[in-house]
């Protein structure tokens, strides 16, 4: 009789509670089956016009998912489960339900954080990283629309960094630490400098108004100092993009080049790609350092900004202004990056000289003076491209010409007749 009553009461429970109970079950088979059923349930329900979830329903779902992760041991299985849970955001069919799912996730982490022991801390750090990564991917699928970016940033700042947020320090610190890392993984190849400024603008505002010294320190170190430290790699990425564009232009403009010449160029490109893989730092977010400095100065110079915040932000602004003026604030460029830049520039110069000399010889032997005259505009355009490239790589030229011997070069800036150490 009691078993029958228990069965009836179980069937009368809402599906969210039933799924949450199975997600927190003792058996891994039961939990894995419940995760698969949850995904199907989310897809089926959000496809209906009146099938959106309520805030309380998703809190119950996340309660079950939290303890599903809690019960999972073995690092590889934890990583697989974390990826499966974080990708549930793509099962929601509307932006509103996606954002509600993300909002309730961060609220759940804030609520449960104090009860997580140190042995389980790492897997929840990993889960937060994965959820943030999938959140950015969801925005990327919509073409990085400005409205979508603003809504996601407002959600994250409200639940984690806003002064009225209930987020503990562990959640705040970890979120600041991983934000640029995950944004780089998802959007470094696509995002422009203006779009990246939009992503860090909420951090500028929080850094100017927060009264929490820990939040100020973490933002200055995890966001702004990271941008400054990645400047050499960002410039390397920009130079590589310019080189690729220049080579495409030369390939399209080289009407007189034979098939043999194009094969040689292809071989050179393959050799360059395989030889530099070890020294390559991967894609890096591009920033307009002057625009970032101006935005920081705008928020830091307000009367409502605490003096401690203003003093810290002004130090960051000076570093960004140095970068905008063509000087690295760090004492040393990373050795691999510097060596890669120097070797890459030498290889490009030698390759361009050999291609041009081969092209000239073939034009002289195969055609008359008319073809030689027709080739002169190409040489002029190539010279102009060289000049533009030299202007963009001003930082690297200064690094070669001044200071210490060896691979590491110290960057020094003279302002108003005195030396400033950065």
């Amino acid at each position: 009789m009691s078993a029958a009553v228990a069965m009836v009461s179980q069937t009368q429970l809402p599906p969210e509670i039933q799924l949450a109970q199975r997600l927190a079950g003792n058996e891994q088979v039961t939990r894995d089956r419940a995760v698969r059923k949850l995904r199907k349930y989310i897809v089926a329900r959000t496809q209906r016009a009146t099938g959106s979830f309520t805030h309380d329903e998703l809190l119950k779902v996340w309660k079950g998912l939290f303890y599903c992760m809690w019960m999972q041991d073995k690092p590889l299985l934890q990583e697989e489960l974390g990826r499966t849970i974080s990708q549930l955001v793509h099962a929601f069919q509307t932006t509103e339900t996606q954002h509600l799912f993300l909002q309730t996730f961060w609220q759940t982490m804030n609520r449960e954080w104090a009860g997580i022991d140190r042995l389980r801390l790492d897997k929840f750090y990993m889960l937060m990283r994965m959820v943030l990564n999938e959140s950015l991917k969801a925005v990327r699928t919509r073409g990085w629309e400005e409205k979508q970016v603003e809504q996601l940033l407002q959600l994250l700042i409200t639940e984690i960094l806003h002064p009225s947020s209930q987020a503990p320090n562990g959640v705040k610190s970890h979120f600041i630490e991983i934000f640029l890392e995950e944004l780089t993984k998802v959007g470094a190849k696509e995002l422009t400098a203006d779009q990246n400024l939009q992503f860090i603008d909420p951090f500028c505002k929080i850094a100017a108004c927060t009264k929490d010294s820990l939040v100020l320190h973490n933002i200055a170190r995890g966001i702004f100092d990271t941008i400054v430290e990645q400047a050499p790699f960002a410039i390397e990425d920009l130079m590589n993009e310019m080189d690729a564009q220049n080579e495409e232009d030369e390939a399209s403009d080289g009407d007189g080049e034979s098939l043999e010449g194009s094969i040689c160029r292809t071989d050179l490109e393959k050799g360059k790609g395989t030889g530099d893989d070890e020294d390559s730092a991967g894609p890096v977010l591009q920033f307009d350092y002057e625009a970032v400095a101006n935005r920081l100065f705008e928020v830091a110079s307000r009367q409502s900004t605490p003096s401690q915040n203003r003093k810290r932000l002004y130090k960051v602004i000076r570093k960004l202004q140095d970068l905008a003026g063509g000087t690295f604030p760090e004492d040393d460029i990373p050795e691999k990056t510097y060596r890669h830049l120097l070797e890459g520039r030498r290889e490009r110069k030698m390759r361009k000289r050999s291609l041009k000399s081969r092209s000239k010889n073939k034009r002289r032997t195969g055609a008359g003076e008319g073809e030689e005259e027709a080739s002169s505009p190409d040489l002029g355009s190539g010279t102009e491209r060289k000049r533009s490239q030299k202007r963009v790589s001003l930082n690297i030229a200064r690094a070669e010409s001044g200071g210490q011997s060896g691979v590491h070069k110290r960057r020094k800036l003279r302002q108003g007749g005195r030396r400033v150490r950065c």
Side-chain angles (χ1 to χ4, degrees), residues 27 41 51 72 94 166 174 361 395 399 404 419:
E27 299 295 331
Y41 176 68
Q72 183 65 63
T94 63
Q166 301 298 319
H174 188 61
N361 293 334
N395 297 335
Q404 279 178 306
R419 185 175 296 171

Side-chain angles (χ1 to χ4, degrees), residues 145-410:
E145 294 180 7
E146 185 176 352
K147 182 179 179 182
Q148 299 290 334
V149 173
E150 287 181 357
Q151 290 178 351
L152 177 62
L153 291 175
Q154 183 178 2
L155 183 155
L156 294 173
I157 297 300
T158 301
E159 298 300 331
I160 304 172
L161 295 180
H162 195 271
S164 62
S165 170
Q166 301 298 319
N169 289 333
V171 174
K172 292 180 181 179
S173 300
H174 188 61
F175 170 74
I176 296 170
E177 179 184 356
I178 66 176
F179 183 80
L180 283 186
E181 295 177 8
E182 299 309 311
L183 183 61
T184 300
K185 294 177 185 177
V186 177
K189 295 182 180 180
E190 305 172 10
L191 293 171
T192 63
D194 291 339
Q195 289 174 316
N196 290 330
L197 179 59
Q198 182 186 6
F199 273 102
I200 67 169
D201 185 69
F203 295 94
C204 298
K205 297 177 181 177
I206 294 295
C209 70
T210 185
K211 296 180 181 179
D212 189 337
S213 59
L214 180 61
V215 171
L216 174 63
H217 171 77
N218 287 335
I219 292 178
R221 186 75 193 97
I223 303 296
F224 303 127
D225 286 352
T226 300
I227 294 173
V228 173
E229 291 167 0
Q230 290 181 351
F233 302 103
I235 293 172
E236 180 186 4
D237 270 1
L238 185 60
M239 289 179 63
N240 291 338
E241 290 178 7
M242 290 186 60
D243 291 338
Q245 184 64 37
N246 290 343
E247 288 166 5
E248 290 178 2
D249 294 342
E250 288 177 0
S252 61
D253 293 342
D255 297 332
E257 293 185 3
S258 63
L259 181 60
E260 180 183 356
S262 62
I263 292 175
C264 293
R265 176 177 296 182
T266 305
D267 294 340
L268 286 170
E269 287 298 324
K270 289 181 180 179
K272 177 184 175 184
T274 56
D276 292 337
D277 284 344
E278 294 182 359
D279 289 344
S280 178
V284 181
L285 294 171
Q286 298 289 337
F287 286 95
D288 183 345
Y289 302 113
E290 184 177 2
V292 178
N294 292 339
R295 178 57 181 151
L296 271 178
F297 181 78
E298 179 183 350
V299 296
S301 59
R302 296 172 181 170
Q303 291 183 350
S304 59
T305 301
S307 59
Q308 178 185 2
N309 302 37
R310 184 182 295 110
K311 183 178 179 180
R312 184 67 183 269
L313 293 179
Y314 278 176
K315 291 181 180 180
V316 176
I317 291 170
R318 282 193 290 270
K319 294 180 182 180
L320 292 169
Q321 288 174 342
D322 288 345
L323 281 177
T327 302
F328 289 105
E330 296 296 331
D331 287 342
D332 298 317
I333 292 181
E335 180 177 354
K336 290 184 178 180
T337 305
Y338 188 79
R339 185 174 66 251
H340 174 62
L341 290 174
L342 294 183
E343 293 175 355
R345 291 177 73 231
R346 294 192 189 102
E347 290 178 3
R348 288 191 294 271
K349 287 180 180 179
M350 295 297 295
R351 186 171 68 254
K352 289 180 180 179
R353 288 175 184 173
S354 62
L355 291 174
K356 286 182 180 179
S357 62
R358 189 184 298 112
S359 177
K360 284 182 180 179
N361 293 334
K362 290 188 177 180
R363 286 178 183 138
R364 287 174 182 173
T365 56
E369 297 179 354
E371 293 185 357
E372 293 181 1
E373 294 176 359
S375 65
S376 60
D378 293 337
L379 293 176
S381 61
T383 303
E384 185 64 25
R385 283 192 294 271
K386 279 185 177 181
R387 290 174 181 171
S388 63
Q389 182 178 352
K390 286 182 179 179
R391 286 194 296 268
V392 174
S393 59
L394 176 61
N395 297 335
I396 307 305
R398 291 184 180 181
E400 290 181 38
S401 62
Q404 279 178 306
S405 61
V407 178
H408 288 287
K409 307 292 182 177
R410 297 186 68 86

